[in-house]
């Protein structure tokens, strides 16, 4: 069942789907309440998409569009994921704002942060400009996912931008909440914040708008004792930022829509996008389409990009992403597209019914450990906080697409050393004892 088939099937059984959605909302109300701190927590948005996925599977089951076997597989893996997610006690506001030693970065760390703050936003904007010049503006292309295909090696720029985006956002948030002492520091941080927001809009990605709010949440959470007043207003901030984000989404849909840009068409497109959070399920479960994908080497699916980059295996030996493999069962196209390979589907394909349950528990456990335990160990310095932001942002998406989350972490592993090297000139300049260098250092 592809997108068109599901749309037609959904329109014929809309009342049934709405009942299923109500059940999903009731179930996920308790799931979200168990870890909720703020609406701009990246895990909240991911879980909301998961809720719509739950409603889709339940809808397919009650309409007899899938075998009970696949419904049981979905439920077992989803429950296993939740068991892993709540293995450690979730963060609570009173534990987060409890007195903790304030972050007091040393001279070297402060200088390195300043050097990264000079280097990363400039590299980020430069990468975006090159993308617009060579490939075009993703917002106006058919697919922002496929933007670097046949780009003659410029796909590396896409990887750099993926890594630079959260790092730049973290550095901007840190300095936005830090008092400025000079006109130049005011200009620098607000200029790059505005330009970064513009690039988010031009990216064509409807989820890009949440990166800055997500990073803001993480930074305030990590420094809740220091920014207690901000922490107590997170939900107010979140409501405003979600409103702005929805406006971004509306603009993106209006530009990309082929069915007009009226409010009704934008609303319908947005609603379908939410429901399509479960597209991996209606691509794979009906008619046992999932059985037609015969993959067995999970290590290549999860870590193949790392192996290929290290030249341990040829890149041609990597399996197609699961979502693309499902897409090819219904469409013939020369571009990469398809649903996100949710952990339930990915795990079933690579590990089978029982193995997928274990896999789902493991990834939920890892996410729980990072969010609820490692969090406390990484509050002690700005670089550690940046590490937490990177890990949490990527691992929050592990339920949506495990292989994509791991691949993004692998990108960070390879590209961060290059960023550190690129920051050396700024670091050396800031370390110089000249009056000009000290003035520049004080500006930041």
């Amino acid at each position: 069942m592809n997108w068109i088939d599901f749309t037609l099937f959904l329109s014929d059984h809309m009342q049934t789907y709405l009942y299923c959605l109500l059940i999903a909302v009731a179930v996920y109300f308790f799931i979200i309440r168990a870890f909720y701190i703020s609406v701009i927590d990246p895990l909240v948005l991911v879980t909301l998409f998961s809720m719509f996925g739950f409603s889709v599977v339940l809808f397919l089951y009650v309409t007899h569009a899938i075998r009970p076997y696949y419904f049981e597989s979905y439920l077992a893996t989803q429950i296993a994921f939740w068991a892993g997610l709540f293995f450690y006690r979730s963060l609570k506001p009173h534990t987060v704002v409890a007195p903790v030693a304030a972050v007091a970065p040393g001279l070297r760390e402060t200088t390195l942060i300043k050097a990264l703050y000079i280097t990363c936003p400039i590299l980020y904007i430069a990468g975006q400009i090159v993308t617009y010049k060579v490939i075009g503006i993703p917002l106006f292309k058919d697919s922002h996912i496929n933007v670097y295909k046949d780009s003659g090696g410029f796909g590396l720029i896409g990887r750099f931008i993926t890594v630079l985006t959260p790092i730049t956002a973290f550095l901007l948030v840190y300095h936005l909440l830090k008092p400025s002492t000079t006109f130049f520091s005011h200009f620098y941080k607000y200029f790059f914040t505005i330009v970064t927001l513009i690039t988010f809009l031009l990216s064509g990605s409807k989820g890009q708008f949440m990166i800055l709010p997500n990073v803001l949440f993480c930074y305030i959470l990590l420094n809740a004792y220091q920014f207690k007043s901000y922490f107590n207003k997170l939900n107010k901030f979140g409501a405003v930022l979600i409103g702005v984000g929805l406006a971004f989404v509306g603009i993106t849909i209006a530009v990309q829509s082929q069915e007009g840009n009226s409010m009704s068409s934008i609303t319908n497109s947005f609603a379908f996008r939410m429901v399509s959070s479960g597209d991996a399920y209606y691509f794979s479960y009906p008619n046992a389409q999932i059985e037609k994908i015969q993959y067995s080497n999970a290590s290549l699916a999860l870590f193949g990009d790392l192996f290929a980059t290290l030249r341990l295996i040829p890149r041609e030996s990597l399996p197609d992403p699961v979502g693309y493999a499902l897409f090819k069962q219904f469409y013939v196209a020369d571009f990469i597209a398809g649903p996100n390979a949710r952990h339930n589907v990915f795990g079933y394909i690579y590990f089978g019914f029982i193995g997928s349950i274990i896999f789902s528990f493991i990834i939920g456990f890892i996410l729980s450990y990072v969010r609820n335990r490692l969090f406390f160990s990484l509050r002690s310095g700005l670089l550690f906080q940046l590490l937490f932001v990177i890990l949490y942002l990527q691992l929050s998406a592990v339920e949506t697409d495990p292989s994509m989350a791991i691949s993004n972490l692998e990108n960070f592993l390879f590209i961060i050393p290059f960023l550190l090297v690129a920051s050396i000139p700024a670091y050396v300049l800031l370390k110089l004892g000249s009056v000009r260098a000290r003035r520049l250092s004080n500006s930041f």
Side-chain angles (χ1 to χ4, degrees):
M1 188 180 292
N2 58 29
W3 289 299
I4 297 176
D5 295 334
F6 179 76
T7 302
L8 296 174
F9 187 71
L10 179 65
S11 63
D12 290 338
H13 302 84
M14 181 58 69
Q15 186 175 10
T16 303
Y17 173 74
L18 292 177
Y19 287 136
C20 293
L21 180 59
L22 286 175
I23 294 173
V25 170
V27 171
Y28 274 77
F29 171 79
F30 294 100
I31 297 297
I32 294 177
R33 190 176 71 168
F35 66 79
Y36 182 84
I37 295 177
S38 170
V39 70
I40 55 175
D41 181 347
L43 190 57
V44 170
L45 183 62
V46 169
T47 307
L48 286 175
F49 283 119
S50 175
M51 179 188 74
F52 281 95
F54 184 98
S55 71
V56 167
V57 178
L58 181 60
F59 169 66
L60 294 174
Y61 174 68
V62 300
T63 55
H64 306 290
I66 61 174
R67 290 165 47 194
Y69 175 78
Y70 295 117
F71 182 64
E72 293 163 5
S73 172
Y74 169 81
L75 280 183
T77 50
Q78 199 61 36
I79 292 171
F81 176 79
W82 290 334
L85 180 62
F86 296 113
F87 186 88
Y88 292 105
R89 185 177 181 182
S90 294
L91 295 175
K92 300 296 180 183
H94 69 274
T95 61
V96 172
V97 299
V100 64
V103 176
L107 179 60
R108 289 184 179 180
E109 183 180 35
T110 301
T111 306
L112 179 56
I113 288 292
K114 291 177 180 178
L116 289 171
Y117 180 52
I118 294 170
T119 306
C120 289
I122 293 174
L123 290 178
Y124 173 77
I125 301 302
Q128 295 287 7
I129 292 173
V130 172
T131 297
Y132 302 155
K133 178 69 176 178
V134 176
I135 299 169
I137 298 176
L139 177 64
F140 303 114
K141 298 181 76 67
D142 293 335
S143 172
H144 68 89
I145 299 174
N146 199 44
V147 67
Y148 291 101
K149 185 176 183 296
D150 300 325
S151 60
F154 282 96
L156 183 62
I157 294 179
R159 294 192 179 211
F160 267 89
I161 290 175
T162 298
V163 172
L164 282 166
T165 300
I167 295 177
T168 298
F170 175 85
L171 295 169
L172 288 173
V173 165
Y174 168 68
H175 284 88
L176 284 170
L177 295 179
K178 177 183 177 183
S180 301
T181 57
T182 67
F183 170 79
F184 180 73
S185 62
H186 273 286
F187 174 81
Y188 187 88
K189 67 183 178 183
Y190 288 116
F191 171 77
F192 276 108
T193 299
I194 293 171
V195 174
T196 299
L197 290 174
I198 293 173
T199 64
F200 287 174
L201 177 61
L202 296 180
S203 71
S205 171
K206 301 175 188 65
Q208 194 83 351
F209 73 92
M210 281 303 297
I211 291 179
L212 201 58
N214 288 162
V215 172
L216 175 65
F217 166 81
C218 291
Y219 183 75
I220 292 179
L221 191 71
L222 287 160
N223 300 278
Y225 180 68
Q226 180 182 356
F227 296 108
K228 190 175 296 185
S229 61
Y230 288 132
F231 179 79
N232 292 333
K233 297 177 182 178
L234 263 180
N235 283 318
K236 291 183 179 180
F237 294 153
V240 173
L241 292 171
I242 289 295
V244 174
L246 289 175
F248 269 65
V249 171
I251 294 171
T252 302
I253 292 174
V255 172
Q256 296 178 336
S257 177
Q258 299 177 353
E259 301 176 359
N261 54 8
S262 66
M263 183 58 67
S264 61
S265 65
I266 292 174
T267 303
N268 290 337
S269 295
F270 179 73
F272 182 75
R273 174 68 184 87
M274 298 300 291
V275 176
S276 289
S277 303
D279 53 4
Y281 305 126
Y282 60 73
F283 265 75
S284 58
Y285 289 159
N287 303 314
Q289 292 293 136
I290 196 171
E291 307 295 347
K292 298 179 181 179
I293 303 178
Q294 299 296 322
Y295 290 163
S296 59
N297 195 334
S299 62
L300 289 183
L302 293 172
F303 308 108
D305 195 41
L306 173 64
F307 298 154
T309 303
L310 294 175
R311 307 295 184 183
L312 299 177
I313 60 171
R315 191 166 292 277
E316 294 76 18
S317 66
L318 298 180
D320 287 333
V322 168
Y324 182 48
L326 289 169
F327 175 81
K328 289 196 301 182
Q329 294 187 17
F330 297 94
Y331 300 96
V332 177
D334 61 351
F335 56 85
I336 297 176
N340 290 115
R342 291 192 164 271
H343 70 99
N344 326 78
V345 174
F346 181 93
Y348 182 89
I349 289 173
Y350 279 102
F351 303 108
F353 189 101
I354 301 299
S356 64
I357 298 173
I358 299 172
F359 173 74
S360 294
F361 173 79
I362 290 173
I363 62 173
F365 172 83
I366 293 173
L367 175 56
S368 179
Y369 175 76
V370 170
R371 185 182 192 271
N372 304 316
R373 283 293 180 269
L374 192 61
F375 167 84
F376 292 104
S377 301
L378 298 182
R379 303 177 77 180
S380 58
L382 287 173
L383 293 177
F384 284 140
Q385 291 184 6
L386 176 58
L387 175 61
F388 173 81
V389 170
I390 292 170
L391 289 174
Y392 185 47
L393 287 185
Q394 302 309 317
L395 290 176
S396 293
V398 75
E399 180 184 5
T400 303
D401 194 329
S403 59
M404 179 184 69
I406 299 300
S407 178
N408 286 341
L409 287 175
E410 292 167 0
N411 284 338
F412 280 94
L413 181 65
F414 281 108
I415 292 176
I416 283 180
F418 288 99
L419 297 182
L420 293 175
V421 171
S423 300
I424 288 177
Y427 183 86
V428 171
L429 180 62
L430 292 167
K431 291 287 286 184
L432 292 176
S434 65
V435 174
R436 179 180 298 179
R438 284 198 296 271
R439 288 177 178 174
L440 179 61
S441 179
N442 289 334
S443 296
F444 291 94

